[in-house]
Amino acid sequence: MTDTTQQDRVLIFDTTLRDGEQSPGATMTHAEKIEIASLLDEMGVDVIEAGFPIASEGDFAAVSEIAKLSKNSVICGLARAQLGDIDRCFEAIKHAAQPRIHTFIGTSPLHRAIPNLTMDEMADRIHETVTHARNLCDNVQWSPMDATRTELDYLYRTVEIAIKAGATTINIPDTVGYTAPRESADLIRKLLENVPGADEIIFATHCHNDLGMATANSLAAVEAGARQIECTINGLGERAGNTALEEVVMAMKVRNDIMPFQTKIDSTKLMNISRRVAAVSGFAVQFNKAIVGKNAFAHESGIHQDGMLKNAETFEIMRPEDVGLTETNIVMGKHSGRAALRSKLENLGYELGDNQLKDVFVRFKELADRKKEIYDDDLIALMRTATDPESDRIVLVSMTVVCGTEGPQKAEMSLSVDGTEAKTSQTGDGPVDASFNCIKALVEHSARLQLYQVHAVTEGTDAQATVSVRLEEDGRIVTGQSADTDTVVASVRAYIHALNRLLVRRERGGTDKREISYKDVG
């Protein structure tokens, strides 16, 4: 075999800059292509398919510059089975330390019909173009496009022709993602057994993900004898995409017991390049994407979180640092348990006793039922109220607000004041004003509102709003804060929090310890 004599070595052929960029809307700028190629080269990718030089002047320029700048990887350009394509491809890659020409033609009945070639005519075209490519470059790859839907006998014939013409790598594309893992493996075995010279070259596999089996098909082909996997970062590519580089690399690393294959890839760089490709292509990585998705190392279930805190291996088959992350992400949500909440709060600097944790956990669950995900700032905002001993004389029982384009706005509220419940209904210039009027009607005081401030502490439409309220009475200034996904509720609780603090300041100031006066105004 050329390139390697190690039967357990699998070459990684990355086509993010060619097949990946063919995703509608994923076009990259010249500078972005150079940047991604540099990252791939540093990561240890064996072959970088830098582009399709005949496609445009921009593609030619990018491939040419990548060829000149590459330090480690083989730099490959794609060419149709046409002499002009192959010449243009070689012009772009010839300055690479290790250049490769990749030429292809569709061999299935559907694809033969497009140029209207007979089997014999196509066989002659393959011999002519592969021979031409080999005369220009020692490293030639040939692909029978739509190989998995090509008649088996004809596939044997064309592969043999390409090998005799000088191809050093034969790639077997599952161009439309039609095959299944067992079929993928069987096809490679049959080619190795039935094509003369097959043991002298490298077989590659290029799988598309139309049925969600690209990675499985690629790994099955490797188990059967293929020694090059064509893939892209994040699985980017035509239609449903390609085999994802990060998936095959980590699969071989994690399941080395049944797939004892080696690769040069530095897996600790996977997350960095995944995020960069997502940014430059505009194709965000889905949250539950294997290896590099946001949730790949995230745990929300209380049972999972408890197990993770005791032994990470209970629910993770690889370490976050293996792909370039610093740690597992314990995601707080409605399924999280007390152990995870305690751990998260300790990391944020809060040490809670069992009873205090119990109370905070109730508040946390109430918040989690209204938010998809609880962020650190959500917890900090929650703790500001939950751990404040001054927030228990006046308590919000319930409230309803009616607002819209037709005014005035109306609020109905019930408060518990020193254990006695009172309620009222008031109008105002907006829902917050109407709500504050309810508080003033139920709790008589002379405090003046000095500041009312709102800001969101987290992202998204379900973000918590943190409200700050500053009150002044007889020279005493107090501030109350509260956070809630409902801004009006947060505002009311912040106002009440400030009032509770004002009551404590009265007592601590040595002045008259007046009772809170309230009235039930219905």
Side-chain angles (χ1 to χ4, degrees), residues 297-299 308 312 316 318-321 325-330:
F297 294 92
H299 305 271
M308 284 295 303
E316 287 185 354
M318 65 195 86
R319 302 177 305 166
E321 53 266 36
L325 288 173
T326 56
E327 60 181 8
T328 294
N329 180 20
I330 298 295

Side-chain angles (χ1 to χ4, degrees), residues 441-455:
L442 292 173
V443 182
E444 292 183 348
H445 61 276
S446 59
R448 184 174 63 90
L449 180 64
Q450 283 193 331
L451 173 72
Y452 172 73
Q453 191 174 61
V454 182
H455 73 275

Side-chain angles (χ1 to χ4, degrees), residues 317-493:
I317 59 172
M318 65 195 86
R319 302 177 305 166
E321 53 266 36
D322 288 342
V323 299
L325 288 173
T326 56
E327 60 181 8
T328 294
N329 180 20
I330 298 295
V331 176
M332 304 307 296
K334 68 178 182 178
H335 301 297
S336 300
R338 284 183 176 84
L341 179 60
R342 183 192 293 275
S343 174
K344 194 74 166 180
L345 289 174
E346 286 176 353
N347 289 337
L348 294 173
Y350 295 97
E351 297 287 340
L352 277 67
D354 291 340
N355 289 335
Q356 199 174 21
L357 177 65
K358 182 178 179 180
D359 293 337
V360 172
F361 187 70
V362 172
R363 294 173 183 265
F364 165 75
K365 283 290 189 177
E366 290 173 353
L367 177 61
D369 281 336
R370 290 176 283 133
K371 284 192 97 253
K372 292 181 180 179
E373 184 175 337
I374 308 298
Y375 298 90
D376 289 357
D377 286 339
D378 289 314
L379 295 176
I380 292 170
L382 184 71
M383 292 301 295
R384 287 194 184 113
T385 301
T387 61
D388 193 331
E390 302 168 355
S391 60
D392 57 355
R393 292 188 69 185
I394 307 170
V395 178
L396 175 64
V397 177
S398 65
M399 63 175 287
T400 302
V401 175
V402 178
C403 62
T405 57
E406 301 292 331
Q409 278 69 44
K410 181 180 179 180
E412 295 181 358
M413 186 179 298
S414 178
L415 298 180
S416 174
V417 183
D418 282 340
T420 302
E421 191 171 322
K423 61 182 180 180
T424 189
S425 176
Q426 301 289 324
T427 61
D429 185 15
V432 173
D433 187 52
S435 300
F436 283 8
N437 287 339
C438 285
I439 299 173
K440 293 173 185 176
L442 292 173
V443 182
E444 292 183 348
H445 61 276
S446 59
R448 184 174 63 90
L449 180 64
Q450 283 193 331
L451 173 72
Y452 172 73
Q453 191 174 61
V454 182
H455 73 275
V457 297
T458 52
E459 60 193 43
T461 56
D462 65 349
Q464 281 201 98
T466 288
V467 177
S468 297
V469 169
R470 184 186 301 157
L471 299 178
E472 184 272 333
E473 182 190 65
D474 299 331
R476 302 182 188 93
I477 298 176
V478 292
T479 300
Q481 277 193 333
S482 186
D484 197 277
T485 53
D486 187 318
T487 304
V488 181
V489 172
S491 301
V492 168
R493 286 181 170 154

Side-chain angles (χ1 to χ4, degrees), residues 125-179:
R125 174 81 64 84
I126 293 167
H127 180 268
E128 177 189 22
T129 53
V130 174
T131 299
H132 183 69
R134 183 58 191 265
N135 287 336
L136 295 172
C137 183
D138 289 339
N139 192 337
V140 175
Q141 175 170 316
W142 178 74
S143 294
M145 186 167 63
D146 206 19
T148 55
R149 294 193 296 175
T150 298
E151 304 93 329
L152 193 57
D153 286 343
Y154 189 61
L155 186 62
Y156 292 161
R157 178 185 174 187
T158 56
V159 169
E160 182 180 358
I161 290 170
I163 292 173
K164 287 182 176 179
T168 51
T169 299
I170 301 293
N171 176 49
I172 304 300
D174 183 25
T175 304
V176 292
Y178 179 75
T179 197

